[in-house]
Amino acid sequence: MVSERAAQVLVASNRGPVSYTLQEDGTLAAKRGGGGLVSGLSAIGSDADSLWVCAALGDGDREAVRRGTGTAGVRMLDIDAGVHADAYNGIANSVLWFVHHMLYQTPLEPAFDAEFRRQWAAYETYNRAFADALAAEAAPGAAVLVQDYHLCLVPGMLRELRPDLRIGHFTHTPWAPVDYFRLLPDDIARQLLRGLLGADRVAFLTRRWADAFAACAVDVLGADALDGTAVGVHGLGADADFLRERAHQEDVNEWMVRLRERVGDGRRTVVRVDRTELSKNIVRGLLAYRQLLADRPEWRGQVVHIAFAYPSRQDLEVYRAYTAAVRRLADEINAEYGTDDWLPVLMELDDDFGRSLAAYRMADVALVNPIRDGMNLVAKEVPVVSDAGCALVLSREAGAYEELGADALVVNPYDVTATAAALHEALTMDPAERSQRTKRLAAASTALPPTAWFLDQLAALRQA
Ligand code: G6P
């Protein structure tokens, strides 16, 4: 059954643009999220009939669905909480995220056993719920943009239900190289690829991830695997107007004063801001900073490492353990080198966007050293808002490297010694050169604003 409010443009993602919390007085408070998709979708204008299909994530969301407290243009799916947990934590975050970011410690893991098969069945159920909802809501010939590794099976399922639709899929993570992708059981690898290839067009953040996907498809499914599906690349840039305006609001100015006080006058700053993902490589970043202090005593008392590591996916034990390891190492460095008036590592673990922007503005060096990252928007945001220019130490494994590598100090993220050397080089970079590089980095970072990222995909999908 096609619903009466049939939409012309549909977006599907696990996490939606809004979330609800149940207040003490029993009412529901709605909170709007940000990000590239939100600003991208807003670019098609309110008169276009668009719909965002997402999952209810917490109790507040589920209650909102039950009460029918909708947000215009958003449909939340109240998928059974156990099914969602198995699909999201079990498969998406613990298997697909690990494969594409190459995070397994392979002597012991992965071990694809009966428990994995049980969770995989939940992943299918969860994808099926999205495909059914999209099939019911889409107008004839509508464009559907499915997002990310949570929803790999949706394009194939939806294609069967609604052959008339234009279906696109976008992957925001890296894609694994063939040998690593082959860790997956053969039937699962085939199912994942066939699910995605149900789309008219699949797209990635960089050429490197798109090529890796195409190589996997051909290796697993055969030479004609890509017949009928276009493979595109759409880099996502920073939202310059939003950032420049937001970075000069009052709370950010106040944070700058407070941070400067805690850092101490005249001291340099090495700044990093991440969600505490296993892929962000925060531990090796701290090891590199410790090595800098060990090898170059001249920096002791002269530099502060501001490290904001915000909570992520804390339902998973491995994430909690990683967060604890990050905190422990920061404490060790502070105990080893700190003095009465100098704290070498200033770490915060609670999320505050205004404080992050303050750190961006005052950074002398930004450290972005992920093990592997689809794009990494922090690398692009810092140069845009930097007050006095900032040297960027950037992992060659971040998607952003393709666009920013020329003006960054590029590191192998596993090489702690080389990262320490790059931090020294960044801290001693000539101010004129630093500011020239920052200007070029800011230009490259804003070349692909979120609205263009979205509209280009939509146009390409309609032509595909
Ligand atoms: C990162 C990735 C996205 C992904 C998101 C999910 O931002 O780059 O590809 O969709 O994580 O995060 P969540 O908090 O919903 O697990």
Side-chain angles (χ1 to χ4, degrees):
M1 264 294 284
V2 174
S3 93
E4 283 172 25
R5 296 178 299 110
Q8 293 294 343
V9 178
L10 298 93
V11 168
S13 64
N14 173 62
R15 192 178 290 279
V18 61
S19 65
Y20 296 91
T21 3
L22 199 52
Q23 314 273 85
E24 279 188 7
D25 66 359
T27 61
L28 286 166
K31 195 176 161 219
R32 290 294 272 185
L37 263 177
V38 173
S39 39
L41 190 60
S42 67
I44 63 173
S46 49
D47 48 337
D49 205 348
S50 65
L51 182 71
W52 193 321
V53 177
C54 57
L57 297 181
D59 295 341
D61 287 359
R62 291 178 192 285
E63 191 54 32
V65 176
R66 276 171 214 140
R67 290 186 196 176
T69 322
T71 298
V74 178
R75 175 162 167 207
M76 268 189 183
L77 305 179
D78 187 3
I79 298 165
D80 174 83
V83 169
H84 186 267
D86 285 336
Y88 172 71
N89 283 320
I91 299 298
N93 290 342
S94 301
V95 177
L96 301 179
W97 183 272
F98 273 59
V99 167
H100 291 315
H101 292 87
M102 309 203 307
L103 295 175
Y104 285 119
Q105 309 208 14
T106 52
L108 296 174
E109 51 172 22
F112 294 115
D113 53 9
E115 173 61 4
F116 165 76
R117 293 284 163 176
R118 193 187 63 73
Q119 293 180 331
W120 183 259
Y123 184 78
E124 291 173 325
T125 304
Y126 159 86
N127 273 253
R128 171 72 58 198
F130 272 81
D132 288 344
L134 292 163
E137 299 280 359
V144 184
L145 294 154
V146 182
Q147 310 298 313
D148 244 341
Y149 52 97
H150 312 95
L151 301 177
C152 290
L153 307 181
V154 167
M157 292 173 168
L158 186 55
R159 165 76 58 228
E160 282 186 14
L161 295 168
R162 291 287 305 274
D164 61 301
L165 300 177
R166 308 301 292 166
I167 305 172
H169 186 280
F170 194 89
T171 295
H172 297 256
T173 60
W175 191 273
V178 172
D179 288 352
Y180 209 87
F181 187 73
R182 284 290 207 174
L183 293 183
L184 290 168
D186 292 353
D187 61 318
I188 300 292
R190 280 195 298 271
Q191 204 185 333
L192 274 171
L193 291 165
R194 288 206 182 106
L196 288 168
L197 291 167
D200 296 290
R201 192 165 184 276
V202 293
F204 298 84
L205 285 164
T206 69
R207 172 53 49 201
R208 184 179 175 196
W209 312 141
D211 288 349
F213 169 80
C216 287
V218 168
D219 190 74
V220 173
L221 299 178
D224 57 359
L226 295 166
D227 292 359
T229 302
V231 181
V233 176
H234 298 274
L236 176 60
D239 190 342
D241 297 340
F242 164 75
L243 281 172
R244 292 198 173 110
E245 200 272 322
R246 182 66 187 86
H248 288 87
Q249 283 177 13
E250 205 36 46
D251 65 320
V252 179
N253 294 333
E254 284 164 12
W255 272 120
M256 285 193 67
V257 174
R258 262 174 282 170
L259 283 178
R260 179 46 71 192
E261 245 169 47
R262 290 177 67 188
V263 165
D265 272 344
R267 288 192 177 120
R268 303 297 190 83
T269 56
V270 173
V271 169
R272 75 173 306 139
V273 176
D274 307 273
R275 305 204 317 168
T276 314
E277 300 288 356
L278 311 176
S279 50
K280 296 297 182 184
N281 210 22
I282 304 171
V283 169
R284 288 193 195 81
L286 287 165
L287 291 174
Y289 179 67
R290 181 166 76 183
Q291 189 166 337
L292 174 80
L293 298 180
D295 294 351
R296 309 231 176 221
E298 69 269 27
W299 284 118
R300 295 180 200 163
Q302 302 303 314
V303 61
V304 171
H305 184 16
I306 298 179
F308 295 159
Y310 298 148
S312 172
R313 304 181 193 157
Q314 293 292 302
D315 289 344
L316 292 173
E317 164 57 24
V318 57
Y319 275 69
R320 294 198 296 274
Y322 184 71
T323 305
V326 165
R327 189 198 304 242
R328 210 162 42 234
L329 184 51
D331 289 346
E332 271 173 39
I333 297 171
N334 283 337
E336 192 178 348
Y337 289 103
T339 62
D340 285 348
D341 82 329
W342 174 54
L343 187 69
V345 182
L346 197 168
M347 177 163 284
E348 296 288 358
L349 302 173
D350 64 309
D351 194 348
D352 189 308
F353 188 52
R355 188 183 57 204
S356 299
L357 288 171
Y360 287 2
R361 280 181 57 190
M362 66 193 275
D364 292 294
V365 175
L367 175 57
V368 180
N369 66 325
I371 288 174
R372 219 168 141 84
D373 211 332
M375 175 55 73
N376 196 299
L377 279 181
V378 173
K380 292 184 165 183
E381 289 167 355
V382 174
V384 174
V385 301
S386 167
D387 279 356
C390 173
L392 175 63
V393 176
L394 179 65
S395 164
R396 66 188 185 197
E397 303 305 318
Y401 164 74
E402 273 180 30
E403 292 155 59
L404 306 183
D407 282 298
L409 300 172
V410 177
V411 293
N412 166 352
Y414 299 95
D415 191 340
V416 170
T417 304
T419 306
L423 288 176
H424 175 71
E425 198 186 332
L427 284 164
T428 49
M429 189 183 283
D430 167 61
E433 182 184 348
R434 190 175 96 165
S435 118
Q436 284 310 311
R437 285 190 190 223
T438 305
K439 279 192 192 125
R440 290 193 295 265
L441 287 169
S445 298
T446 54
L448 301 160
T451 50
W453 171 81
F454 186 85
L455 295 176
D456 288 355
Q457 280 181 70
L458 200 56
L461 179 60
R462 287 186 164 138
Q463 282 158 22

